[in-house]
Amino acid sequence: DGGITQSPKYLFRKEGQNVTLSCEQNLNHDAMYWYRQDPGQGLRLIYYSQIVNDFQKGDIAEGYSVSREKKESFPLTVTSAQKNPTAFYLCASSLYRGGTGELFFGEGSRLTVL
Amino acid sequence: QKEVEQNSGPLSVPEGAIASLNCTYSDRGSQSFFWYRQYSGKSPELIMSIYSNGDKEDGRFTAQLNKASQYVSLLIRDSQPSDSATYLCAVNKGSRDDKIIFGKGTRLHILP
């Protein structure tokens, strides 16, 4: 079955550690996205990528990094520079570039900083 | 001004009634508009997309778009308890930029 797989679902991290969240899709979608969700805050855009080897910062990119070396994969690294990383992280993909944006989401990764 | 605004609710609606959810956006050049439903602890799922002014119906759901007023709404007819969730409005800002921005969401509670 086609879909988006995020891993791990739950992750605990000590302060000062970098962690990488995996996002893989087999939908052959062009665009991929990372969002962060805090209670009562809706979804905030961290990074997005429309094509391989290219990505753009979203509204809250500070303290995060991404790569898009393959169409299927868009990993997110939460660095120690991110001041408050505890959140629910959602990866999504979209079939077409340019003006559409029907997103398909993975099940999310919950990161807790101890 | 926030880019996409929604009333956070909760909005309480009796079972069988019409639920009306509203969203405004700030970028007049926005091209595409979406409603997602998110159950507690789960990821969002797409309910409706709308690209041109007017109404778009799909089953019990109707999306309405008014670009002049920069306003999007979602109507849910014959509301069911299973409709209780948070509804997120999302906007794609332009045809060359796939930056998709979400509102904070409106919590909907259907009263049995």
Side-chain angles (χ1 to χ4, degrees):
Chain A
D1 287 319
I4 300 176
T5 302
Q6 288 187 242
S7 62
K9 289 189 176 181
Y10 299 93
L11 183 62
F12 297 88
R13 180 195 109 174
K14 293 181 180 180
E15 282 192 23
Q17 290 180 334
N18 292 355
V19 293
T20 296
L21 307 180
S22 171
C23 179
E24 302 279 333
Q25 55 100 357
N26 60 3
L27 300 167
N28 199 32
H29 283 180
D30 292 314
M32 296 187 74
Y33 301 78
W34 275 105
Y35 290 90
R36 167 180 172 145
Q37 188 172 35
D38 297 282
Q41 293 297 313
L43 274 62
R44 292 186 289 168
L45 182 62
I46 305 173
Y47 271 98
Y48 62 110
S49 168
Q50 296 173 273
I51 56 174
V52 175
N53 293 322
D54 187 39
F55 48 83
Q56 289 78 40
K57 292 182 179 180
D59 297 321
I60 57 164
E62 184 176 353
Y64 299 98
S65 66
V66 293
S67 62
R68 187 86 187 274
E69 297 177 359
K70 299 185 300 181
K71 187 175 184 178
E72 303 80 21
S73 179
F74 192 41
L76 173 73
T77 296
V78 184
T79 76
S80 56
Q82 168 52 233
K83 298 301 181 187
N84 185 20
T86 295
F88 185 41
Y89 290 88
L90 287 158
C91 179
S93 68
S94 177
L95 178 59
Y96 297 116
R97 291 182 287 127
T100 57
E102 297 183 353
L103 297 176
F104 294 84
F105 284 88
E107 294 188 339
S109 294
R110 291 193 181 275
L111 172 63
T112 302
V113 174
L114 303 174
Chain B
Q1 183 183 10
K2 295 178 181 175
E3 293 187 88
V4 180
E5 293 203 60
Q6 297 180 253
N7 187 322
S8 62
L11 175 65
S12 295
V13 174
E15 183 176 355
I18 296 175
S20 178
L21 304 163
N22 304 316
C23 171
T24 59
Y25 59 94
S26 61
D27 188 337
R28 189 170 288 277
S30 297
Q31 300 281 322
S32 313
F33 309 86
F34 310 90
W35 284 100
Y36 289 82
R37 178 177 62 200
Q38 185 177 27
Y39 293 114
S40 180
K42 302 296 185 182
S43 57
E45 56 180 333
L46 180 69
I47 298 176
M48 294 285 289
S49 56
I50 187 165
Y51 304 100
S52 55
N53 281 329
D55 295 0
K56 179 182 178 183
E57 186 174 320
D58 184 1
R60 296 187 296 111
F61 299 97
T62 298
Q64 299 174 317
L65 174 61
N66 183 327
K67 288 188 176 180
S69 300
Q70 295 174 241
Y71 178 89
V72 192
S73 65
L74 178 70
L75 301 178
I76 306 174
R77 291 182 299 280
D78 188 23
S79 297
Q80 303 297 311
S82 60
D83 295 326
S84 296
T86 295
Y87 289 81
L88 300 163
C89 174
V91 175
N92 187 319
K93 292 171 65 71
S95 61
R96 289 186 294 176
D97 180 358
D98 283 313
K99 186 177 183 181
I100 301 171
I101 301 299
F102 283 77
K104 291 186 176 183
T106 298
R107 285 182 294 139
L108 175 64
H109 183 209
I110 304 302
L111 303 170

